[in-house]
Amino acid sequence: MELSKGRGRTSSLYLRRTLNMAKSLLTNPVYLIGLLALCFLTYTIIVPLWEIVKTTFLWQQQDVRVSPDAKPGYFTWYHWSRILTSDLSKSLFYKPMLNSISTSVVVSFASMALGTALAWFVTRTDVPFKKTIAFLAVVPHMLPSWILSIAWMMVFKNQKIGGSEGIFQAVFHVQPPDWLSYGYVPIVTTLTIHDSVFFYLLVAVALSSMNSQLEETASLLGAGRLTILRKITLPLVLPAILSAFILTFTKAMGSFGVPALLGLPVKYYTISTMLYSAMRNRMVTEAYILSLILMLISMLTIYLNQRMIGKRKSFVTIGGKGGRRTLTPLGKWRMPLAVGILLFMLLIGIAPLLLLVWQTFMLKDGNYSLSNLTLHWWIGESNFKIASGEVGVLRNNELLLALKNSVHIALVSSACAAVAGLILGYVVSRGRKLRLARTVEHVSFLPYLIPGISLAAIYISMFAKPTLLLPALYGTLSLIILITVVKDLPFATRAGSSAMLQIGGELEEAARMQGASWFKRFYRILLPLSRNSLISSFLIVFIGAMKEMDSIILLITPKTGTLTTLTFWYAEKGFFQLTNAIIVIIIVIIMVVYAVATKIGKADLTKGIGG
């Protein structure tokens, strides 16, 4: 009898403890928000990813035309075999993959050399004109990478492929060889120019936050500058350099605009352009396989990155004491290096813009005389002798609609992504020891690994009809906003997490003890204190959304066209003056928003991403 009562009391205590634990979990905002966030991430990321994987192992309805064994809906290895082991494998997969890997490796190493050197000169030396150099470094980051491709074609295109001569041929009367006009060399060069700035923005933060006491001590002990740089400075920032290398490699692997403009004219295919061609030719399943292979390569490089960094993550470069930064004196090289860096930044940032603006006033492509200058591409009326009757961009109703759509998409998606990143960052930072928080952090990074074109293709099938509580979104701006927010979640979440880690938990705890709800605490405490980070996230997403093309090009309909998709459409038709005029409009919008964000919100990308 006593034993039975004892068991009853034990069961009662266990039940009470379980109920208290459940109550604690249900009232803990980290768990509630984390679960809601995980549901959102699962629906927008995990489900599309699962659909991509599942589709590659099933017969599709269109397969009936190419294989007598096709049974729609049944399991098959047919698509994987077609990509990896068929007669088409070389052209469909192996050659484009080799092109992508060779391009990405060279771009990553070259960007690392240029970006790290630039970051070191700006943050760790006494080189003059630092603010000017830092601003000029941000300019290329604001531009779509394919803008540099158009500038390259203006200079180096030849009559054999480009149809008209470029500036190089017009000045020197020598036709550039095909390998200089199109293909591997210009793709690697333009991507390196663009991504080296991305590398600089990532590494500059780590270098600027580093205490220089170790470097000073080594200098007092007689170590030379190169020895200090090699033995102390670089090892301390190696995690940042390796992370930037991986992000650059992944970015280059998934790049579409540059390989499309500079590679397709000479049939130089990469995985991204082959993926786009497969989508256009309705080889959707094969395109999904290419996407998965791209993702696997990205995951492998990230895993290797973690193994290479190892325990180096534990280096402390910011301590509780005030950190000193003693700049390295450049001596007699100070001014020559400053001039050289300024000229290089002007060459990669300002010169392409000037070329694009110049071309918008050229009536005939390839004619660089003053008599060829015109305002037709800006305000001209329809003339069927010029560009098949296309009017100037400021008279073009399609441009006005695309402008309205682009600004609407960029503003809404930037605001949503910045707030969502802050909320996800709250879960990640406040629940660092919880498996739920780690899961949210890992899943939020996945969109960076999924090629935008593949994600867009899945979103078409997912949202072409009403699903769950959502209406059919295909053909609406809502779907483009959704995919833009999802693609930018990796950066927004990390920015939000960094901001939340700087806000002490005691502020929120004091408000909770006064009876403030989580929404009130978030609105009255967390949101104001993370204002600068929020505006920085907004700015980064806005810039990305204004120049985004890869992830939305398949989702565009006549009513949802954007400025970037309109430029690509004109570029495909060879109307480069109209393309460049629209690009100038995009740049002006980005510059205006950047100036406002810098003035009002103190968001300063010149200090690096996250600075």
Side-chain angles (χ1 to χ4, degrees):
M1 189 72 175
E2 292 295 329
L3 181 61
S4 177
K5 288 182 179 179
R7 288 177 177 174
R9 282 195 295 269
T10 303
S11 299
S12 178
L13 287 171
Y14 179 76
L15 179 61
R16 192 177 304 146
R17 190 181 296 115
T18 303
L19 290 174
N20 288 336
M21 187 179 297
K23 182 180 179 180
S24 176
L25 293 178
L26 292 175
T27 55
N28 187 340
V30 172
Y31 278 99
L32 287 175
I33 299 170
L35 288 173
L36 290 174
L38 195 57
C39 289
F40 171 76
L41 295 173
T42 298
Y43 186 64
T44 56
I45 300 172
I46 301 299
V47 171
L49 184 56
W50 167 246
E51 287 294 326
I52 290 175
V53 175
K54 185 179 71 173
T55 301
T56 63
F57 291 104
L58 297 177
W59 287 109
Q60 305 300 312
Q61 188 63 48
Q62 60 266 28
D63 294 333
V64 176
R65 296 177 298 175
V66 295
S67 176
D69 300 325
K71 295 180 180 179
Y74 283 79
F75 178 86
T76 181
W77 288 100
Y78 170 78
H79 302 104
W80 283 91
S81 175
R82 189 180 187 196
I83 288 291
L84 299 176
T85 62
S86 72
D87 295 336
L88 299 174
S89 296
K90 182 178 179 180
S91 57
L92 274 178
F93 173 64
Y94 290 108
K95 192 172 181 179
M97 177 58 72
L98 181 62
N99 291 340
S100 292
I101 292 176
S102 62
T103 298
S104 301
V105 168
V106 174
V107 167
S108 300
F109 277 107
S111 298
M112 180 176 66
L114 289 174
T116 304
L118 181 61
W120 184 76
F121 278 116
V122 171
T123 61
R124 309 295 296 177
T125 73
D126 62 348
V127 68
F129 314 121
K130 286 188 177 183
K131 289 187 177 181
T132 303
I133 293 171
F135 174 74
L136 290 175
V138 171
V139 172
H141 179 66
M142 296 181 183
L143 311 178
S145 57
W146 38 270
I147 285 182
L148 297 175
S149 306
I150 296 175
W152 183 277
M153 286 191 291
M154 280 190 65
V155 177
F156 294 109
K157 69 179 176 181
N158 57 34
Q159 291 177 306
K160 179 180 177 182
I161 300 174
S164 60
E165 64 182 25
I167 295 175
F168 182 89
Q169 185 173 350
V171 173
F172 297 103
H173 305 292
V174 176
Q175 183 167 279
D178 292 348
W179 61 265
L180 185 60
S181 299
Y182 297 93
Y184 180 78
V185 171
I187 290 173
V188 167
T189 305
T190 52
L191 282 177
T192 297
I193 291 172
H194 188 267
D195 291 348
S196 62
V197 176
F198 179 69
F199 212 103
Y200 157 78
L201 292 172
L202 291 171
V203 175
V205 176
L207 280 170
S208 62
S209 64
M210 211 180 78
N211 195 319
S212 60
Q213 289 179 350
L214 289 175
E215 295 170 310
E216 292 173 15
T217 303
S219 179
L220 290 173
L221 293 174
R225 291 177 187 175
L226 290 178
T227 302
I228 294 172
L229 184 64
R230 183 169 53 89
K231 294 285 189 178
I232 297 176
T233 308
L234 289 181
L236 284 175
V237 295
L238 184 61
I241 292 175
L242 289 176
S243 296
F245 182 92
I246 296 304
L247 290 174
T248 304
F249 179 85
T250 306
K251 193 167 177 280
M253 282 290 291
S255 177
F256 168 72
V258 173
L261 291 173
L262 292 175
L264 294 183
V266 290
K267 301 188 185 312
Y268 182 90
Y269 289 96
T270 62
I271 284 292
S272 59
T273 54
M274 182 57 68
L275 195 156
Y276 176 73
S277 298
M279 289 288 188
R280 291 284 294 266
N281 294 323
R282 298 186 178 182
M283 297 168 58
V284 178
T285 309
E286 285 74 11
Y288 287 165
I289 293 174
L290 295 177
S291 303
L292 290 175
I293 293 171
L294 267 180
M295 285 187 62
L296 290 174
I297 292 173
S298 299
M299 290 179 179
L300 177 61
T301 54
I302 290 173
Y303 170 76
L304 292 175
N305 175 50
Q306 299 301 321
R307 292 297 299 270
M308 289 171 66
I309 292 176
K311 296 183 179 180
R312 293 179 186 271
K313 290 181 179 178
S314 62
F315 278 142
V316 175
T317 59
I318 306 177
K321 299 179 181 179
R324 270 191 324 179
R325 274 202 302 151
T326 302
L327 301 179
T328 301
L330 297 176
K332 63 180 181 180
W333 293 102
R334 185 170 177 264
M335 191 56 67
L337 282 171
V339 173
I341 293 172
L342 280 173
L343 290 175
F344 174 73
M345 300 312 301
L346 288 171
L347 180 65
I348 68 173
I350 304 303
L353 288 181
L354 295 177
L355 286 175
L356 295 182
V357 172
W358 183 16
Q359 193 176 39
T360 65
F361 296 103
M362 291 169 50
L363 180 61
K364 294 181 179 180
D365 198 16
N367 184 344
Y368 301 96
S369 63
L370 295 178
S371 61
N372 189 47
L373 298 181
T374 179
L375 291 175
H376 174 80
W377 305 110
W378 288 98
I379 58 175
E381 297 181 353
S382 178
N383 183 343
F384 282 94
K385 294 181 179 179
I386 305 174
S388 302
E390 291 287 341
V391 298
V393 293
L394 298 182
R395 291 177 176 267
N396 192 334
N397 291 330
E398 287 186 24
L399 178 127
L400 296 177
L401 177 62
L403 174 62
K404 178 183 175 182
N405 290 342
S406 290
V407 174
H408 178 76
I409 291 167
L411 288 175
V412 175
S413 61
S414 302
C416 292
V419 175
L422 205 61
I423 294 174
L424 294 179
Y426 176 86
V427 175
V428 172
S429 61
R430 294 293 190 265
R432 286 191 295 261
K433 297 181 180 179
L434 302 177
R435 183 177 298 177
L436 175 63
R438 292 196 298 270
T439 303
V440 168
E441 183 179 21
H442 294 325
V443 175
S444 68
F445 185 75
L446 282 177
Y448 191 84
L449 304 179
I450 304 175
I453 293 176
S454 300
L455 190 62
I458 284 296
Y459 271 30
I460 290 174
S461 62
M462 281 183 64
F463 298 105
K465 55 186 183 297
T467 174
L468 294 181
L469 301 177
L470 296 175
L473 296 180
Y474 180 68
T476 68
L477 292 180
S478 299
L479 182 58
I480 300 174
I481 291 171
L482 176 63
I483 197 171
T484 303
V485 170
V486 170
K487 284 296 290 182
D488 285 313
L489 272 181
F491 288 108
T493 301
R494 274 144 189 79
S497 178
S498 298
M500 287 298 172
L501 285 171
Q502 297 175 42
I503 301 174
E506 63 273 7
L507 296 174
E508 191 181 0
E509 182 63 22
R512 189 186 68 81
M513 293 179 66
Q514 294 295 321
S517 65
W518 182 83
F519 288 102
K520 192 170 185 179
R521 301 197 301 268
F522 184 81
Y523 176 73
R524 299 294 295 274
I525 299 175
L526 301 178
L527 208 57
L529 290 176
S530 55
R531 175 173 171 269
N532 288 347
S533 175
L534 194 70
I535 295 176
S536 294
S537 295
F538 175 90
L539 183 59
I540 291 171
V541 177
F542 183 89
I543 292 172
M546 282 299 299
K547 62 184 186 179
E548 180 58 48
M549 181 172 65
D550 297 10
S551 61
I552 67 174
I553 195 165
L554 293 180
L555 303 177
I556 294 302
T557 64
K559 292 184 178 180
T560 60
T562 65
L563 292 175
T564 52
T565 56
L566 189 59
T567 59
F568 190 74
W569 184 79
Y570 279 136
E572 281 190 318
K573 289 182 172 293
F575 302 153
F576 288 108
Q577 291 96 327
L578 292 172
T579 297
N580 295 343
I582 299 173
I583 289 172
V584 171
I585 294 173
I586 294 174
I587 294 167
V588 169
I589 294 171
I590 291 176
M591 290 293 189
V592 169
V593 173
Y594 177 76
V596 172
T598 303
K599 184 72 175 178
I600 297 176
K602 309 300 180 184
D604 190 3
L605 293 184
T606 62
K607 296 178 181 178
I609 294 178

